[in-house]
Amino acid sequence: MTASKILAISGSLRADSHNTQLLRAAQKFNPGGLEIEIYEGLREIPPYDLDLDTPERRSDAVNELRRRVTEADGVLIATPEFNYSIPGVLKNAIDWLSTDWTRSEGVPLRRKPTAILGAGPGAFGTVRAQLALRQIFVCVDADVVVKPEVHVFNSYERFDAAGNLVDEATIELLQGLLGALKVKIDAV
């Protein structure tokens, strides 16, 4: 049986982001059956512009992201929390992934099995950001994993100095989320 292809997107542009490290941990602690690739082009995605939202007018970076999400069996998004919500760069990418004005190519995120997680330094982790992201995915019609929720609070305590996830409870939740994503993919 071939592994399901997962495109993992960190909503943080910071190189040492705990959310990017969380995606690396997903690769390391993958319970099996998933091939997780981390997307590294979020910085190149231009601001959403309806005037440019056709296959011919979109930037190469946007067309590449749309292609990769379309070809993936599932999506894994790790979001930090900014001002009680998701970062603008992540929302911007989702805007580019949620349209098909030509009605010819399909909406990359529509019915796409998707899992959400996040890490933050505070006591609430990314609870509010994940709630905001779930609301966006209702409109987009992504097929979101509901449980388990992975809110990594006090994230600086969960990673070692080298950026490795070392908290056993978080590793267990992460593996549960990946397993639930695999079940959702297999049901398609």
Side-chain angles (χ1 to χ4, degrees):
M1 176 181 266
T2 60
S4 298
K5 290 174 34 179
I6 304 301
L7 185 64
I9 301 171
S10 172
S12 178
L13 299 179
R14 236 174 28 86
D16 293 331
S17 160
H18 285 159
N19 285 282
T20 303
Q21 292 169 347
L22 200 51
L23 295 179
R24 289 187 194 114
Q27 290 175 315
K28 179 178 179 179
F29 297 110
N30 180 352
L34 301 174
E35 178 185 315
I36 301 170
E37 178 184 2
I38 299 174
Y39 176 72
E40 296 181 357
L42 195 61
R43 187 181 305 277
E44 281 74 47
I45 303 296
Y48 181 79
D49 184 342
L50 180 60
D51 289 337
L52 301 178
D53 195 4
T54 65
E56 304 78 30
R57 300 191 75 201
R58 288 184 200 118
S59 72
D60 290 342
V62 170
N63 279 327
E64 175 71 6
L65 175 60
R66 287 176 63 95
R67 180 190 65 76
R68 289 175 69 183
V69 168
T70 298
E71 291 175 357
D73 298 307
V75 175
L76 177 65
I77 296 180
T79 185
E81 183 168 304
F82 292 167
N83 299 320
Y84 288 10
S85 191
I86 65 172
V89 293
L90 180 58
K91 174 64 167 68
N92 182 59
I94 292 168
D95 289 346
W96 281 111
L97 292 168
S98 63
T99 61
D100 178 16
W101 304 110
T102 64
R103 303 201 190 283
S104 63
E105 60 183 352
V107 176
L109 285 173
R110 182 171 290 138
R111 304 307 309 148
K112 182 68 65 175
T114 303
I116 300 168
L117 68 165
F124 291 109
T126 60
V127 170
R128 294 169 291 227
Q130 288 188 47
L131 178 60
L133 191 52
R134 288 177 191 280
Q135 290 174 324
I136 292 166
F137 284 139
V138 168
C139 179
V140 172
D141 196 25
D143 190 9
V144 179
V145 172
V146 178
K147 297 278 183 183
E149 295 181 17
V150 181
H151 304 283
V152 183
F153 61 94
N154 298 335
S155 59
Y156 55 89
E157 297 175 351
R158 317 270 175 238
F159 295 89
D160 67 16
N164 298 302
L165 181 63
V166 294
D167 181 70
E168 290 299 322
T170 303
I171 292 168
E172 187 176 318
L173 280 170
L174 176 59
Q175 289 178 320
L177 181 70
L178 294 172
L181 179 58
K182 177 71 170 131
V183 167
K184 196 168 275 292
I185 290 167
D186 291 345
V188 173

